[in-house]
Amino acid sequence: MNERTKGWMNGFIGVLIFSGSLPATRLAVMDFDPFFLTVSRAAISGILAGILLLIFRQQKPVKSDVVPLLLIALCVVVGFPLLTASALQYVTSAHAIIYLGLLPLSTAIFGVLRGSERPQLVFWIFSSLGSCFVVGFAVFNEATSSPIGDSLMFVSIILCGYGYAEGARLTQRLGGWQVISWTLVLSLPASIFLTLYTMPESWSNISISAIVSLAYVSLFSMFLGFVFWYRGLAQGGIAAVGQLQLLQPFFGLLLSALILHESIGWPIFVLNTGVALCVAFARRFAAN
């Protein structure tokens, strides 16, 4: 099996894991404060990452890696989780999920800025067209949109795209699970302190579903998903494998309907079908 195929397989597993993030976050913020949810998931996954680094005796990052790792932490450990959790107080997870259609373009742009990839012009045309579909739907679908929620989701996509591209770049040298592990460990002192500071005074009113959701976003969304995703991006190319993120809205919408019983009418499926077709064409012209 060649590296490109391995990259697509690892990327697909990562997308499957990430697909449950927004529905799980939506359940969690029903009982948890968004800020507590953000720092506690980072603390839980950071402790796990630290244990694994010690068990496997991984070499510490060099000095030049510290700033990139801190930037990754700011984007994917704090920025994206906090902004999406906050947005989900204003919009449904089904509405928020459509913004994930912007992630491939965001990731590809930062892949070019931070790496050596140079997709062809046709790639940018189709990727931009798919993104226009997503933004247009969010703007004109007044029934479920919210200026605050939409703005928070848009900024979160920008931060996430940078975090993905920067993490993929470091993965080529440090390894996939090592990058996210060191990112979480560097964040651990702050995340533990803030978790203890913002912890609910009483857990008696916290539902089991919220606790299970916290466990999912901590262990799967914050750690295991990145292990597969960063590895996939490094093996198959940031711009190319990044297009797999267009599958995430489909899986996420399905989970929102099954778990949260949210309405996902046919316009959303039409939207995602159009975006997926654009990305399918764009992938053919992505540099690897």
Side-chain angles (χ1 to χ4, degrees), residues 12-235:
F12 182 73
I13 294 172
V15 165
L16 285 177
I17 293 174
F18 290 148
S19 295
S21 298
L22 288 184
T25 300
R26 175 68 171 175
L27 278 175
V29 295
M30 291 180 179
D31 293 330
F32 291 120
D33 176 79
F35 189 80
F36 169 77
L37 179 64
T38 299
V39 295
S40 62
R41 67 189 279 183
I44 294 170
S45 55
I47 292 172
L48 172 62
I51 293 173
L52 291 177
L53 289 171
L54 288 174
I55 291 176
F56 293 101
R57 301 176 181 269
Q58 294 299 299
Q59 185 177 0
K60 295 180 180 180
V62 298
K63 186 177 180 180
S64 60
D65 294 330
V66 175
V67 172
L69 287 171
L70 289 175
L71 289 174
I72 295 171
L74 180 64
C75 292
V76 302
V77 175
V78 178
F80 183 77
L82 179 59
L83 291 174
T84 53
S86 300
L88 287 169
Q89 294 186 313
Y90 298 93
V91 298
T92 65
S93 65
H95 181 79
I97 282 169
I98 67 175
Y99 276 92
L100 299 181
L102 294 172
L103 262 178
L105 181 60
S106 177
T107 304
I109 290 173
F110 285 113
V112 170
L113 295 176
R114 298 296 299 145
S116 59
E117 298 186 8
R118 294 294 182 270
Q120 300 178 39
L121 177 61
V122 179
F123 169 87
W124 296 112
I125 293 175
F126 280 109
S127 290
S128 299
L129 182 60
S131 298
C132 287
F133 286 158
V134 173
V135 175
F137 183 87
V139 170
F140 292 107
N141 187 27
E142 298 179 357
T144 58
S145 65
S146 161
I148 296 177
D150 290 338
S151 298
L152 291 171
M153 284 303 305
F154 184 75
V155 176
S156 75
I157 293 303
I158 296 175
L159 293 179
C160 194
Y162 175 81
Y164 282 171
E166 191 68 33
R169 190 179 67 85
L170 286 181
T171 295
Q172 295 175 346
R173 190 169 59 80
L174 296 178
W177 75 270
Q178 292 91 338
V179 167
I180 189 59
S181 294
W182 285 117
T183 299
L184 291 166
V185 167
L186 286 175
S187 310
L188 198 54
S191 62
I192 289 179
F193 171 79
L194 292 173
T195 296
L196 295 175
Y197 183 78
T198 60
M199 184 177 295
E201 295 182 2
S202 173
W203 288 68
S204 59
N205 295 325
I206 306 297
S207 65
I208 297 297
S209 61
I211 294 175
V212 172
S213 297
L214 172 60
Y216 183 88
V217 297
S218 300
L219 301 178
F220 289 88
S221 303
M222 195 77 268
F223 185 71
L224 291 178
F226 280 100
V227 172
F228 289 102
W229 184 241
Y230 278 154
R231 185 62 176 167
L233 290 175
Q235 290 174 321

Side-chain angles (χ1 to χ4, degrees), residues 244-282:
L244 281 171
Q245 292 167 112
L246 260 294
L247 297 174
Q248 191 171 333
F250 289 102
F251 295 128
L253 288 170
L254 180 60
L255 289 173
S256 293
L258 293 176
I259 298 174
L260 302 175
H261 308 293
E262 292 183 349
S263 175
I264 51 172
W266 64 267
I268 294 181
F269 282 105
V270 172
L271 166 76
N272 281 293
T273 300
V275 173
L277 288 174
C278 288
V279 174
F281 284 110

